[in-house]
Amino acid sequence: MLDPSLTSNYRPISKIPLIAKILEKIVAKQLTAVLDKYSIFDKFQSGFRKVHSTETALLRVSNDILLQSDAGKCSVLLMLDLTAAFDTVDHYILLNRLKHWVGVSGTALKWFSSYLSERYSSVAVSKYRSSSASLSFGVPQGSVLGPLLFLVYLLPLQHILSPFEDICYHCYADDIQLYISFKPEEASKLRLLNVCLETIKGWMAENFLQLNESKTEVLLCAPDRHIPSIINALGPLSTFVKPSVRNLGIILDPALTLDSHVKSLVRSCFYHLRNISKLSSIISYTELEIVIHAFISSRLDYCNSLFTCLNKGSLERLQIVQNAAARLLTKASK
C-alpha cells in the first residue's frame, strides 16, 4: 500500500528564465492596459489588480453585510474555493477567451498560443528523474502572466452570476464569496443560493474547474433566534455552516466583531515575540527591527482598515502587542 503522504497533489515548480519574465512583464502590462481601457475586468474581482487586494475584497463584503444588518436584515455568506485552479486551465478555452472576450487576434494570439504550448513536466526524487510529459492544461506557476491569464479565464463567471440579482459576489483570484441579505421572514430566498451554486458548478465542470468542497464554508450573520429557520431554509448548504470562518486570512464571526481574529492574532504575535526575544542579544538593532516588522508589524497591519469596527477591549489587546514589540526593540522597561 502506498504511503498517503506520497499521493499528495504537489504543485509543480516552473523554471522560468529571467529574460522570459521580463518579456512576460511587458506583455502583462499591455494586456492589463487593454483590460482596463475597455473595462473588461470583472469589477468584483480583486485578485492581481492595481489598487485591489484582499483588503478591498474584505472591506466590500463586510461593509455590505454590516449595512444590511443595520437595516434589520439577516445575511448568509458562502465561501467557495477551487481545487488546483491554475493547474486545470484549458489552453484552447483560454485562447478563445483572449480572442472573443478580450479581442486579441493575429500575431498576438499566436504569441499566447506559443507561450502556453510545448511546456513539459517531470518529477525528481533524490537523484532520480522521470521522463518528461507534455502539459496541455494550466498556466505556469510562478510566472508573471499566469495570474492575469487566470482572471481572463474566469471572465464569463460575472455573466453566470448576473441573473441572480439578490445574490452579491466578490472574488479574489479563485476565492469566491457569495452573499445574500433578506428580512427574517424571507428566509425562503435562500433557495436561490443553492440554485446559484449548482449553476456555478455546471459552468465550472464545462471549463475543467472544480470546487473544493472541503473548503466550502457558510457563515450566518443573523440574531440567534433566526438561526434555526435559516439553517432549515439553506437545505444542502446547512452542512457547511460554521460558527466562524477564515476569509482571506481574517477570521470572521457572525456579528463581524473580529474578536476571534484579534485573539488569534495576539496569540500568534506573542508566540513570535517570545522567540524573537531569544535572538535580541545576538543580532543588531537594524536586524531586530527587520525581524519585528516581518513577524509582528506585518501581521498587525494586514487588512487593518477592518479594525474600525473593533471594540475597546480588542483595540487594547492589539496595543499591548505593539507596546511589547516596542519594548523589545528599544530594550525599554515596562
Side-chain angles (χ1 to χ4, degrees):
M1 181 178 287
L2 284 174
D3 182 344
S5 64
L6 298 178
T7 60
S8 301
N9 178 24
Y10 293 100
R11 180 166 289 177
I13 299 170
S14 296
K15 292 184 176 180
I16 303 173
L18 177 61
I19 190 68
K21 287 194 173 185
I22 294 173
L23 178 59
E24 282 186 44
K25 195 160 188 177
I26 294 169
V27 175
K29 187 176 181 180
Q30 294 175 344
L31 181 58
T32 301
V34 171
L35 292 168
D36 283 331
K37 181 179 180 180
Y38 296 102
S39 302
I40 300 171
F41 271 127
D42 183 350
K43 64 180 179 180
F44 296 131
Q45 170 64 263
S46 291
F48 314 116
R49 296 178 59 192
K50 280 186 178 180
V51 300
H52 290 74
S53 64
T54 53
E55 188 163 10
T56 60
L58 287 165
L59 268 176
R60 191 240 171 175
V61 174
S62 60
N63 184 65
D64 284 354
I65 293 175
L66 286 170
L67 286 173
Q68 294 298 331
S69 179
D70 288 344
K73 292 185 177 181
C74 305
S75 297
V76 171
L77 172 63
L78 169 61
M79 292 183 299
L80 308 173
D81 185 62
L82 303 184
T83 300
F86 281 47
D87 300 330
T88 59
V89 169
D90 181 272
H91 294 169
Y92 177 77
I93 294 175
L94 176 56
L95 290 171
N96 265 298
R97 296 271 198 278
L98 287 166
K99 182 178 180 180
H100 298 294
W101 288 75
V102 183
V104 179
S105 60
T107 304
L109 190 63
K110 288 179 181 177
W111 185 93
F112 279 106
S113 179
S114 174
Y115 171 81
L116 293 167
S117 62
E118 294 187 28
R119 292 185 180 272
Y120 299 89
S121 175
S122 64
V123 178
V125 178
S126 186
K127 61 181 180 180
Y128 303 100
R129 182 182 293 275
S130 71
S131 57
S132 296
S134 177
L135 293 174
S136 55
F137 289 86
V139 290
Q141 296 285 347
S143 64
V144 177
L145 267 176
L148 187 58
L149 291 176
F150 182 73
L151 296 190
V152 171
Y153 196 75
L154 287 186
L155 282 176
L157 187 59
Q158 57 188 306
H159 297 280
I160 297 296
L161 294 168
S162 59
F164 300 95
E165 295 180 357
D166 290 326
I167 297 176
C168 300
Y169 76 96
H170 206 99
C171 303
Y172 186 87
D174 61 335
D175 288 301
I176 304 168
Q177 303 176 64
L178 305 175
Y179 54 103
I180 181 171
S181 299
F182 50 92
K183 294 178 180 178
E185 63 273 14
E186 297 176 334
S188 59
K189 278 188 174 182
L190 290 174
R191 65 181 178 80
L192 287 174
L193 208 52
N194 283 289
V195 175
C196 181
L197 182 58
E198 290 305 314
T199 305
I200 291 172
K201 283 182 178 179
W203 177 80
M204 287 185 173
E206 292 172 0
N207 290 272
F208 303 97
L209 300 171
Q210 184 179 3
L211 286 177
N212 185 350
E213 288 207 0
S214 65
K215 290 188 177 180
T216 299
E217 294 182 317
V218 174
L219 183 68
L220 308 183
C221 302
D224 291 342
R225 65 182 182 276
H226 298 308
I227 297 298
S229 61
I230 293 174
I231 290 178
N232 191 46
L234 274 173
L237 284 174
S238 61
T239 58
F240 299 108
V241 173
K242 307 288 183 184
S244 63
V245 296
R246 183 177 288 275
N247 188 5
L248 299 177
I250 298 291
I251 300 173
L252 300 179
D253 54 82
L256 301 185
T257 62
L258 299 187
D259 285 349
S260 298
H261 177 72
V262 169
K263 288 176 184 176
S264 174
L265 179 59
V266 169
R267 184 166 58 248
S268 173
C269 285
F270 274 118
Y271 168 79
H272 289 294
L273 278 173
R274 284 192 293 270
N275 289 331
I276 293 170
S277 67
K278 297 172 185 176
L279 301 173
S280 59
S281 60
I282 59 174
I283 61 177
S284 68
Y285 177 90
T286 302
E287 291 168 334
L288 184 59
E289 189 175 25
I290 292 170
V291 172
I292 288 176
H293 174 74
F295 287 92
I296 308 301
S297 300
S298 61
R299 282 179 164 81
L300 295 175
D301 288 342
Y302 179 70
C303 294
N304 59 10
S305 59
L306 295 171
F307 293 169
T308 54
C309 69
L310 293 184
N311 58 44
K312 186 179 179 182
S314 293
L315 286 172
E316 287 176 349
R317 284 196 287 271
L318 293 179
Q319 187 63 57
I320 288 171
V321 173
Q322 282 196 318
N323 293 349
R327 285 197 301 273
L328 177 60
L329 180 62
T330 61
K331 295 181 171 57
S333 63
K334 189 171 183 178

